[in-house]
Amino acid sequence: SQEGYPKPMRSLLCLLVAFSGLCTLLQESPERLEYAKRVEIERRLAKQAGLPLTHNDLPKLPYPPSQNALIVLKQIEKLSRNKQVITPQDSGCLTIDMPTKYPSQTSIAYARGAIVRTKPMYDLIDKFLACPYYQKAINWSKTEGGVIDAWGLMEGNGTLRTLSRWLDGKSKLLVADGKYVEAIHNEAKGLRLAHLAEAVYPSLTDWYVAEAIRQMALAGITQILEEYGTKPNVATAVAEALEKAPPPAPLSHVVPMETLQALTYLHFIREQTMKEKVPQKFLDSIAYEGKAEWVKYGYPTDVKLRVQRLTDAGECIALARMRLLYQYYSLPYYKAKQKNITSNYEAKRTP
């Protein structure tokens, strides 16, 4: 407060405060401009590395939309809700592992009947697996809280995992009937399902879902091989199934979508801050590490300039790290895992 000071003194204090603020602005401006220049450099390097800055940068597919497996998946979901065709009893019998390693004849007889009654479901699964690609219907203009169309990104993941259980249930029935080679071929469909579940431009969640489906199929094949590997043609069928199976996508497959997600969140913070009448309240509502995280980025008296600098710095680090991960995740698993640990530190050091 300036009360109690003579009027000339109050004027002098005002000048000192203004001069101090100007010095702070001049001192911080080079760094802010440096970050702004770095953003442009990192964007250029990201595009050179093949990373998208917007969804329009994603490569176009060589297939028509009519061949998208998503169309069949919608039909599967619709059939699953028809309780007259897919009864809860049949669904429970086939989407969950047999209750024991050696099920009773009663259980086998019921499962055999369920296979016949749920033939429309298995026909649709085969139709789904015959599609050349699977791409989710993402609404790129729909973002909430800085997240790209959360419903579109997650939709279908639960259904895909359920399909793997349907395949596994049928394989166990084939094993119970002594049809070991057919059971192996049926389990191998799970590997094709995992390949499609990796999707076009998958998120990290999609990659994990695909990996879970693949592990279920491999576990089924391994169990048949361990218990019935001495039976005629079983070992040969396993070798052929694994040889024909599409290889797992490297983790680098998820980097483009994760890049778009990171940029969307940073742009959300930047744009929302500029719109707010009281931007500090908005920042405090989303700050995970407290108010000090925002204050340390300069401009203590200008929240909007502070956030501009923060998001510029964040975008530089995010793009630098995604470039490194895009390269590292193409390496063998253990090397990729080791590089992942150091990538964040390396990104912050990137000039």
Side-chain angles (χ1 to χ4, degrees):
S1 173
Q2 299 176 19
E3 294 182 6
Y5 289 96
K7 191 172 181 179
M9 184 65 72
R10 289 203 301 268
S11 300
L12 180 59
L13 285 173
C14 291
L15 288 173
L16 288 174
V17 170
F19 181 73
S20 176
L22 178 61
C23 288
T24 301
L25 182 63
L26 291 174
Q27 182 181 3
E28 293 291 330
S29 291
E31 291 193 29
R32 182 172 66 86
L33 292 174
E34 179 189 344
Y35 276 118
K37 291 178 180 178
R38 278 192 58 191
V39 167
E40 295 304 319
I41 293 172
E42 288 298 338
R43 287 174 181 171
R44 185 174 69 251
L45 292 174
K47 295 200 74 169
Q48 290 175 357
L51 292 176
L53 299 180
T54 71
H55 71 276
N56 293 320
D57 295 333
L58 294 171
K60 305 302 179 184
L61 297 175
Y63 307 106
S66 60
Q67 296 183 16
N68 189 353
L70 177 66
I71 298 173
V72 184
L73 192 68
K74 297 291 186 183
Q75 297 171 4
I76 290 173
E77 291 175 340
K78 183 178 180 180
L79 180 63
S80 299
R81 293 191 292 268
N82 189 339
K83 302 304 180 185
Q84 294 181 345
V85 179
I86 308 298
T87 67
Q89 292 83 0
D90 290 346
S91 178
C93 174
L94 295 172
T95 60
I96 301 175
D97 291 348
M98 291 289 189
T100 61
K101 185 176 179 181
Y102 301 102
S104 66
Q105 290 301 313
T106 303
S107 299
I108 293 174
Y110 188 89
R112 191 177 291 114
I115 289 288
V116 175
R117 290 189 293 272
T118 57
K119 184 177 183 298
M121 174 62 76
Y122 284 102
D123 289 344
L124 283 177
I125 292 176
D126 288 338
K127 186 178 178 181
F128 179 89
L129 297 177
C131 294
Y133 77 102
Y134 168 59
Q135 183 176 21
K136 295 185 174 184
I138 300 173
N139 185 350
W140 296 100
S141 62
K142 181 181 179 182
T143 60
E144 184 175 349
V147 178
I148 301 172
D149 190 10
W151 174 252
L153 285 173
M154 298 299 294
E155 190 179 14
N157 287 345
T159 303
L160 291 171
R161 294 191 65 164
T162 300
L163 296 187
S164 69
R165 297 187 183 98
W166 280 83
L167 291 173
D168 195 53
K170 184 176 181 179
S171 295
K172 285 181 167 53
L173 176 61
L174 290 170
V175 168
D177 286 342
K179 300 177 181 179
Y180 309 117
V181 174
E182 288 184 43
I184 292 167
H185 291 162
N186 191 72
E187 287 285 9
K189 291 181 180 180
L191 300 177
R192 169 64 181 170
L193 177 62
H195 177 69
L196 284 173
E198 286 167 340
V200 178
Y201 319 127
S203 66
L204 187 58
T205 302
D206 296 329
W207 191 86
Y208 281 128
V209 169
E211 190 62 19
I213 293 171
R214 183 175 290 106
Q215 291 303 319
M216 180 178 289
L218 290 173
I221 292 174
T222 301
Q223 184 178 2
I224 296 171
L225 181 62
E226 288 178 348
E227 296 185 19
Y228 307 102
T230 57
K231 301 289 184 179
N233 301 322
V234 168
T236 302
V238 170
E240 290 177 352
L242 295 179
E243 185 176 351
K244 294 178 181 179
L251 195 51
S252 58
H253 203 44
V254 310
V255 175
M257 181 60 75
E258 295 301 316
T259 300
L260 290 178
Q261 192 64 269
L263 294 180
T264 299
Y265 185 65
L266 287 168
H267 294 166
F268 162 74
I269 294 176
R270 182 182 298 152
E271 293 173 6
Q272 193 67 25
T273 304
M274 301 308 171
K275 294 177 183 177
E276 292 288 330
K277 292 183 179 179
V278 187
Q280 187 61 56
K281 289 185 178 180
F282 167 71
L283 295 180
D284 293 343
S285 69
I286 63 172
Y288 295 107
E289 300 180 13
K291 300 178 183 179
E293 181 68 18
W294 306 101
V295 173
K296 73 179 184 180
Y297 278 92
Y299 296 113
T301 58
D302 192 326
V303 176
K304 293 185 177 182
L305 289 176
R306 183 191 316 159
V307 170
Q308 181 69 45
R309 181 182 171 191
L310 170 68
T311 51
D312 283 349
E315 187 171 342
C316 288
I317 295 173
L319 289 176
R321 187 170 190 234
M322 289 303 176
R323 280 194 296 108
L324 292 170
L325 292 180
Y326 206 34
Q327 175 187 353
Y328 295 158
Y329 282 169
S330 299
L331 298 173
Y333 175 76
Y334 288 107
K335 287 186 178 180
K337 187 174 182 181
Q338 179 185 6
K339 290 290 188 179
N340 179 54
I341 296 172
T342 61
S343 62
N344 194 42
Y345 175 71
E346 292 180 54
K348 290 181 179 179
R349 295 181 59 195
T350 302

